[in-house]
Structure formats: structure tokens, C-alpha cells
Amino acid sequence: MHNTPIPDLVTVTVLVENTTDSALRCEHGLSLLVEWQGRRILLDAGQTGAFLENADAMGLSLTGLDACVLSHGHYDHAGGFEALLRRDPAARIYAQKSAFEPRLSGSGGRVHDIGVPPAVAEQRERFLLVEDTTEILPGVYLAPHSTANLAQIGAKSKLYRQTGGELLPDDFSHEQSLVLDTARGLVLFNSCSHGGAANILREAREALGKPVYAYIGGLHLKGKKAGREICTLSPAEMEELCGAFLRENVQLIYTGHCTGGPGLELLRQGLGARLHALTTGLRFVV
């Protein structure tokens, strides 16, 4: 890890997210353009080419990026890479080595595929597969989970992996955080936080030896009951989640996508002015 101070200006543009308040396209998915120290990093690509259309509409070029990252092996983060790989023959995408293993969900009462779409998986030679905490650019890290027994969370969330024809609770070995080592502290991106935000905060702090200053991404709180969107956490679980951010003294939390509207409102009650909502087209500076 670098010991010299690093300028902490990080610009984030939400290329696609579940919501929009403009003419830009939105979809169930997430794609972020992260700019820092003159470098441009694409984190995820949503589920279609909508993120590219939005980038074009905003006057943002997505060719010649310094790095592309897939946060985890789900369709709503990987699917749009098909369009990027067509547009930019030189693009290469970092992913965890298990990102292409079958991933399934039991939500809605039936088990269904939510993994990397075949059109993207067929181009796996254009992915750079990593396993451990890896520095991909100066001060820019990919950090996988190091917490044991995450399959317990997978079972509770009805998320599964398929290994040798056997269906097992997902242990989220395919999920990774993008972490920037800035002068103010770590700026951490985890698109869905399936392994639990409290675990992810601790993992990053222990791996890189610094506290997390800002946390950006979804928190996997969105559910449905009787046709209505709900927050899947109990009041006690929500209190614990907010407490984790406060104990770690995270100054900024930008969240959306799988967090959902009810979850966002409950988080706002516990986190106050630290909390901000992601939406398609939003551009902000950390």
C-alpha cells in the first residue's frame, strides 16, 4: 500500500441505475464511471447497452478506459459488457475467478438463472480473472471477501451457486469491492453488498490498513411482499446496519439499485446527512 499522500478528488458518474429523473434510460442494474488521478474506471455495465447510450448522451467516451471491473457475476451488472466489448476491441474486464460459475436466485418462488449472460460468458478470454486483493492501478485495489461462512447469508437471501450439478447457497466468492486508497481514507465501491456491508467495511480496513471514508453501491435490501416493494431487514437488522456505518465512521454513503425505496428511507432515518441516493445521470465528487 502507498504511504505517500494521494489527492482525494474522486468523481463518480452513474451511467445507469434503477431510477432516473431525466430523459436518460434506467433499468434494474448498475454502472458507474469512476475518475481519479487522471484515470477512468468503469465499474459494471448494467444489464443492457443502456449505460453506453446514456454515456453518449452525456458526452462521455467509454473507449480507452484505464480499467473495467465486474463487481460480481450477475446479469444486471455483467450484461451490458457485451455492448462495450463490441465497441472497444481493446477493452479488458477484471473479475473474480468464479464470476462465470452458474448463479441462481429463488426469489419469486422459483429458482432461476441470474448469472453472467451467455453472450458475455462466451468472451471470457477478454476478462482478467483475479482471486486475492489485487492492485490494478496505483492506489486502486480489487478486494474479494475474506469473511468465513458467507453461505449462511446466501441461504437466507435465496441466492445459490451451482457446482458439479449441485445447488448450494452462494458464498459470494465472485463478489469484489473496488477500493481507492485516497488521502482521506478508502473510497469503497461494492455494487450489491451481498456479503453484508459490515463485513465488507471490515474486510477493506483489514486488507488495506485504513478506514473507509466513503461507501458507494447497493445494499441488497429490496424485496417484495403482496406485490409491494419492502425492505427485507427487520428493525433490529436495520439498526445494526446503520450502526456498522457509524462505528466505522464512514462519512459518505451513496446507495441505490438493490437498496430499494423503503430501504433508502429507513437508512436515511439512521444515517441522516451521510446518506445520498444514486440515480441515473447523477455526477458527484467525493
Side-chain angles (χ1 to χ4, degrees), residues 19-66:
T19 64
T20 184
D21 54 9
S22 69
L24 297 172
R25 287 182 58 186
C26 66
E27 65 183 14
H28 176 75
L30 189 64
S31 178
L32 305 176
L33 178 63
V34 181
E35 298 172 271
W36 182 57
Q37 292 192 319
R39 296 184 174 90
R40 301 185 307 138
I41 304 163
L42 178 68
L43 176 62
D44 292 342
Q47 61 173 296
T48 72
F51 81 104
L52 269 180
E53 294 179 27
N54 290 342
D56 291 344
M58 288 186 280
L60 298 171
S61 171
L62 296 187
T63 57
L65 294 163
D66 294 286

Side-chain angles (χ1 to χ4, degrees), residues 103-114 154-160 167:
R103 304 288 163 179
L104 303 102
S105 171
S107 66
R110 62 180 183 86
V111 176
H112 55 283
D113 179 24
I114 59 169
K156 182 180 178 182
S157 301
K158 296 182 180 179
L159 293 172
Y160 307 101
L167 204 61

Side-chain angles (χ1 to χ4, degrees), residues 222-235:
K222 185 178 179 180
K224 272 192 176 183
K225 187 174 182 181
R228 296 179 60 189
E229 186 178 312
I230 63 165
C231 175
T232 57
L233 295 190
S234 68

Side-chain angles (χ1 to χ4, degrees), residues 248-280:
E248 294 282 351
N249 199 28
V250 181
Q251 295 299 302
L252 294 171
I253 302 108
Y254 281 85
T255 191
H257 178 45
C258 56
T259 299
L264 187 67
E265 290 307 310
L266 291 170
L267 286 167
R268 188 170 281 117
Q269 293 174 27
L271 296 172
R274 299 176 192 233
L275 187 77
H276 305 270
L278 297 172
T279 193
T280 303

Side-chain angles (χ1 to χ4, degrees), residues 202-216:
R202 176 182 45 76
E203 289 167 349
R205 174 171 43 78
E206 291 177 352
L208 298 177
K210 272 185 158 182
V212 174
Y213 174 76
Y215 192 108
I216 301 161

Side-chain angles (χ1 to χ4, degrees), residues 1-2 4 6-7 36-39 41 66-67 94 134-141 179-182:
M1 192 174 70
H2 300 280
T4 55
I6 301 173
W36 182 57
Q37 292 192 319
R39 296 184 174 90
I41 304 163
D66 294 286
Y94 287 95
T134 303
E135 188 174 22
I136 61 171
L137 294 167
V140 180
Y141 296 83
V179 188
L180 310 184
D181 180 10
T182 80

Side-chain angles (χ1 to χ4, degrees), residues 53-119:
E53 294 179 27
N54 290 342
D56 291 344
M58 288 186 280
L60 298 171
S61 171
L62 296 187
T63 57
L65 294 163
D66 294 286
C68 302
V69 176
L70 173 61
S71 64
H72 62 288
H74 287 171
Y75 75 99
D76 51 331
H77 299 264
F81 279 122
E82 180 188 4
L84 181 74
L85 292 172
R86 282 199 312 268
R87 178 177 290 195
D88 186 356
R92 296 294 183 271
I93 304 159
Y94 287 95
Q96 283 293 302
K97 69 172 188 175
S98 61
F100 294 102
E101 293 178 359
R103 304 288 163 179
L104 303 102
S105 171
S107 66
R110 62 180 183 86
V111 176
H112 55 283
D113 179 24
I114 59 169
V116 175

